[in-house]
Amino acid sequence: MSSDRVVFTASADKHGYDAEDVLYAYTHVKRRRVFLKNGDEYVKFTGAHHGDSLVLSIEVMMRIGANGRVTVFHVNAEQGNFWDKD
């Protein structure tokens, strides 16, 4: 998925989650970390998932560029080691 402000990369799409899943998780966030790297802001969060009783939450990583463009590059069912890596 792509628009002029949000890009959903192929790597974010590989587990079958979509922008609606990311938005739902973001509005039902459980944990979030924001950090700067090479001048860009990165947001890493876990949030509730809807529509699948086997996946209670998903993990998301995105970059917000200086121009305001959001690039979602990782979405998956929450894994145990998500908070141990950047």
Side-chain angles (χ1 to χ4, degrees):
M1 181 195 106
S2 181
S3 74
D4 61 337
R5 304 298 286 164
V6 178
V7 176
F8 203 84
T9 68
S11 64
D13 201 28
K14 72 180 182 180
H15 297 292
Y17 299 100
D18 60 20
E20 183 180 319
D21 295 319
V22 171
L23 182 58
Y24 187 87
Y26 188 79
T27 59
H28 296 85
V29 71
K30 294 181 176 189
R31 184 175 173 189
R32 182 176 65 162
R33 182 187 313 159
V34 178
F35 56 96
L36 294 176
K37 185 175 181 180
N38 298 327
D40 290 328
E41 182 176 291
Y42 285 78
V43 180
K44 180 177 184 171
F45 68 91
T46 54
H49 182 250
H50 61 107
D52 185 343
S53 60
L54 297 177
V55 178
L56 299 179
S57 63
I58 61 173
E59 57 189 46
V60 178
M61 291 185 71
M62 63 178 67
R63 182 181 74 241
I64 303 171
N67 61 1
R69 175 173 272 171
V70 175
T71 302
V72 179
F73 59 89
H74 174 79
V75 185
N76 197 7
E78 186 174 358
Q79 306 294 309
N81 63 347
F82 178 65
W83 292 104
D84 299 333
K85 57 187 176 183
D86 282 333

